[in-house]
Amino acid sequence: MKNVRIWFRKFGTAKYISHLDLNRCVARAFHKAKLPMWYTEGFNPHAFVTFALPLSLGVEGRRESMDIRLLEDMPKQEIMNRLNEALPKDIRIFDVTEPQMKPGKIAYASYEIRYKTENGDLQLIKAELETLFAKESIPVQKKTKSGMKTINLSSYLNRYEITVEDNQIVLNIVLPAGSTENINPSLIGDAVEAELGYRLYAHIIRSSLYDDAFHVFV
Amino acid sequence: MNQKIEHLLAKVQKPGRYVGGELNAVIKHKDHIDVRFAFCFPDVYEVGMSHLGMKILYSLLNEQSDIWCERVFAPWIDMEEEMRRHDIPLFALESGDSVADFDFIGFTLQYELSYTNVLNMLKLAGIPIKTVDRKELFQIVVAGGPCTCNPEPLADFVDLFFIGEGEQVDLEVIRLYQACKKEGKSKAEFLKAAAQIPGVYVPSLYTVVYHEDGTIKEMTPHQGAPEKVIKRIELDMDKAYYPDRFVVPNIEIVHDRAVAEVQRGCIRGCRFCQAGYIYRPVREKSIDMINHQCRSICENTGYDEISLSSLSTSDYSQIEGLLETLLDWTDDEKVSVSLPSLRVDGFSNELMDKLKTVRRSGLTFAPEAGTQRLRNVINKNVTDEELMQTVRTAFEGGWTTVKLYFMIGLPTETLDDVAGIAHLGQQVVEEYYRNPNRSKGRTVKVTCSASSFVPKPFTPFQWEPQDSIETLHKKQKHLIASVHSKKLTCNWHDANTSFLEGVFARGDRKLCKVLEAALECGCKFDGWSECFSLPRWIEVFKQCEIDPLFYNQRRRAYDEILPWDHLDYGIKKSFLIEECEKAYENDTTPNCQEACSFCGATCFKGGICVEKR
């Protein structure tokens, strides 16, 4: 038996596949691809698949991964080809590796957020965002298992960069991610709306995952 | 995906409904296409994507290199609101293009309560809803599906209806359209020519004159349109087109599995069931063909479940042989097989053993009526003893959940028949405790679910009045009062929606203006309890000066001209009258497998009518 980590991009129409639906979607793809999958041995056997970290609905993933177990070896290219044939067009496998880190080690995620506005001076908005981000207190409502909770977003805005390119504002930012603490990048949009009074259309891309020492998740 | 559409998605529930991009979705180049066909299902994505007819016709049309068929579903109310606010017209999933850009806008009419959605979708597309207001040979609105057996309530809106099965007639109409376009003909010329194609009904070529009491005096065809439009039918199911792949949805839909159609039609002749009459005669597919189709669909989709679909799959003459053939490979490939429709008298030990390899859920049977007398009336030829035998088999096999479907409001029904539903449920509970090997510590759960009977065209009950809402409520109360066990649960469907369904099922052209007014009042998704409002509908009827009771609660005379009399499904009216009279005598009719009852379907010269019994 061999553990295999499958790397994929999830974009375009596939951004709107929820985590639960993604599970179903890849299960079908593995079935269609006829990979020598290891099946769980419970009452209701199913192919064993775990995702490194769920991706929010509507967010693009540039370097997502899932782990499977194969009963026998198969060349990397063969796995990729078979899966890409079986998946919806906007989920693309780009690599297959041996897992190095455990998904539980994930502590941070980097995001590239592209803000668009139909009217408005981009340099001005950029300046407003910078002022907002520098504030000591930015209260936002975060949904938790025990209901809504107010958190101070400001304490998480430590590593970021704002630029203007191609008629949009690009925010590159690192936020806590993983099982212990997770900050959804859509909270930034909420803060902008609450503090600055306008809604920016955000194209959010999760570009990579890191452990607590900022080593890239591999 | 269109940028403008994408901006709306952040604000709506289940955005996956609106983006397409699924495995096996067909993308073509607009420039290489001659005819664009928008296949519209007037309900949400999850419902429409579960529909087999759409899968068949989608693939069939897309196999033609010069036609591009795309899917369109009704946006849910949150999305509709966003689309209206941002001025985004109804769009097709494959290209994201506006439905107004299409040559054909085709609707499938699966249930009457979706009619307002048909109009609403046209409106959202920015297409004039009335036939007379669409003057060009473009944006041809067509419709098919079971409800077209009485298309009159939609006569003002739909240019042409497909009567019967669509596999061949759809293409014939498209080819005619191409020819007419090439020759620079008008829409009127196209429609006139289309009416000559068998199975095509062009409502604008018929005028209806009414008596003073609102019943039909005469219906006259013009411009050479046929007196009677005869339904189209696939005679050899092994030669009928069937797709080798389905579009695989990215979000979960209602029926998320591979579907094999094992036969069309039903041998039974239950007198309440429209499908049992309009799809006659029964035509089976061969085991080899079904097996082959199951394999290709599983291979091309990755589905690990196959549903053997038909009106009554346990009536397939070689059901055990079919299951054996399928289980030969499905077990190894971890594919499960399920039968959606089991008959009380079709559940044998052998069948159960084969189904047991499949994931176990509850078993569902439909006795339809609580007493033997009433089951004779509706020609549901199963006995209490057969039901008990069946549940005994199921309980011995380890099943503990049984669901029983019934109807209330059936013709001749008394309160004793209603109480009979609860009594039958109780007997099933007791049967469980008679099994000495029942697993201790588990308990039996029996659910009796009662829907309200709606009389439908082309059935022996097409002349019957429908029970009033008050009567249905009284019967529902009586049902619940007759339940004396916690193991037995009884529930029922909303009588209000059945009321409206009853109006449109047997409606005529006078209802067109009601639908138009309902659209203005914001009626849509009437099949959804969160959207349906009977008081709003009553207001609409009042405003149009139309009495809904004329349609659903009036007893019609046998000699009345019915709004669907010019459509011919092969079933003779004299046969339906005979059946109705037999119902009043509590008399049954043998099924097509046992003996021919001369319904008229032999005119198609196929299926069980010509095969050896």
Side-chain angles (χ1 to χ4, degrees), chain B residues 39 52 67 76 159 209 231 268 277 345 359 396 476 561 564 576:
Chain B
F39 198 120
L52 180 61
I67 301 171
W76 186 242
D159 294 314
V209 182
K231 77 159 176 179
R268 295 288 166 171
Y277 292 94
D345 50 356
R359 260 170 247 152
E396 279 164 6
Q476 290 167 352
I561 297 175
W564 51 93
L576 294 176

Side-chain angles (χ1 to χ4, degrees), chain B residues 139-343:
Chain B
Q139 297 178 340
I140 304 295
V141 177
V142 300
C147 286
T148 55
C149 74
N150 178 25
E152 295 303 282
L154 290 169
D156 287 355
F157 316 109
V158 176
D159 294 314
L160 67 86
F161 291 96
F162 298 119
I163 306 302
E165 293 160 19
E167 278 97 338
Q168 295 172 32
V169 68
D170 283 22
L171 261 183
E172 290 165 18
V173 167
I174 293 174
R175 295 304 174 212
L176 174 71
Y177 170 86
Q178 285 173 297
C180 287
K181 273 240 129 149
K182 208 181 257 169
E183 292 159 26
K185 288 192 171 151
S186 67
K187 178 181 167 184
E189 285 170 306
F190 161 71
L191 288 178
K192 185 185 164 201
Q196 297 304 318
I197 298 175
V200 172
Y201 169 51
V202 179
S204 57
L205 298 182
Y206 297 74
T207 48
V208 189
V209 182
Y210 299 94
H211 290 293
E212 221 157 84
D213 65 1
T215 58
I216 294 171
K217 190 175 177 200
E218 57 183 2
M219 181 128 191
T220 322
H222 301 285
Q223 300 184 43
E227 294 264 349
K228 284 239 173 198
V229 180
I230 303 170
K231 77 159 176 179
R232 290 295 286 272
I233 180 170
E234 293 295 313
L235 285 174
D236 185 344
M237 288 308 290
D238 274 8
K239 291 196 181 114
Y241 178 84
Y242 203 71
D244 67 349
R245 65 197 61 213
F246 293 171
V247 175
V248 186
N250 291 336
I251 64 170
E252 194 176 22
I253 60 169
V254 181
H255 299 294
D256 210 355
R257 55 187 75 95
V259 182
E261 189 186 20
V262 302
Q263 59 187 358
R264 241 174 236 181
C266 178
I267 57 171
R268 295 288 166 171
C270 300
R271 293 180 180 131
F272 56 84
C273 175
Q274 186 179 51
Y277 292 94
I278 63 172
Y279 293 116
R280 287 185 181 210
V282 169
R283 292 142 288 153
E284 292 191 342
K285 259 185 211 172
S286 67
I287 290 183
D288 281 352
M289 186 53 77
I290 298 167
N291 189 44
H292 169 76
Q293 291 173 348
C294 286
R295 278 209 102 124
S296 10
I297 291 174
C298 284
E299 260 164 38
N300 288 323
T301 59
Y303 274 125
D304 62 357
E305 188 186 347
I306 303 169
S307 169
L308 299 180
S309 170
S310 77
L311 293 170
S312 179
T313 298
S314 51
D315 282 334
Y316 179 69
S317 61
Q318 312 166 72
I319 183 68
E320 276 164 30
L322 171 63
L323 284 172
E324 221 156 89
T325 309
L326 290 172
L327 292 175
D328 241 12
W329 58 273
T330 52
D331 259 9
D332 292 344
E333 300 197 5
K334 296 190 168 62
V335 171
S336 68
V337 181
S338 65
L339 270 61
S341 49
L342 284 170
R343 262 186 74 86

Side-chain angles (χ1 to χ4, degrees), chain B residues 230-231 233 235 280-281 568-572 599-606 609-610:
Chain B
I230 303 170
K231 77 159 176 179
I233 180 170
L235 285 174
R280 287 185 181 210
D568 186 349
Y569 278 76
I571 311 298
K572 289 181 295 191
C599 66
T602 39
C603 66
F604 299 115
K605 301 186 178 69
C609 302
V610 297

Side-chain angles (χ1 to χ4, degrees), chain A residues 75-183:
Chain A
K76 168 176 154 177
Q77 197 57 45
E78 170 100 26
I79 296 175
M80 284 171 52
N81 290 350
R82 286 202 197 184
L83 278 178
N84 276 332
E85 189 124 319
L87 282 161
K89 68 181 176 63
D90 291 347
I91 296 176
R92 289 295 94 183
I93 312 291
F94 63 87
D95 204 1
V96 175
T97 62
E98 216 172 292
Q100 307 287 320
M101 284 185 201
K102 287 211 164 90
K105 292 276 176 208
I106 294 168
Y108 295 99
S110 56
Y111 298 92
E112 177 182 317
I113 308 176
R114 298 167 169 271
Y115 291 113
K116 270 192 194 148
T117 169
E118 264 148 40
N119 38 24
D121 182 341
L122 291 180
Q123 290 299 342
L124 188 73
I125 294 171
K126 175 177 179 259
E128 282 183 330
L129 286 181
E130 278 164 345
T131 317
L132 171 65
F133 283 19
K135 281 174 74 170
E136 295 247 320
S137 163
I138 312 174
V140 289
Q141 294 285 307
K142 182 182 191 286
K143 213 192 271 170
T144 67
K145 273 181 190 143
S146 49
M148 296 304 273
K149 204 175 114 187
T150 306
I151 58 159
N152 181 8
L153 188 63
S154 170
S155 54
Y156 303 104
L157 305 176
N158 305 316
R159 294 175 182 80
Y160 66 87
E161 182 193 32
I162 307 177
T163 54
V164 172
E165 51 186 79
D166 304 337
N167 278 320
Q168 52 192 347
I169 294 165
V170 181
L171 166 65
N172 275 289
I173 188 163
V174 175
L175 290 170
S179 43
T180 31
E181 189 171 39
N182 199 70
I183 297 296

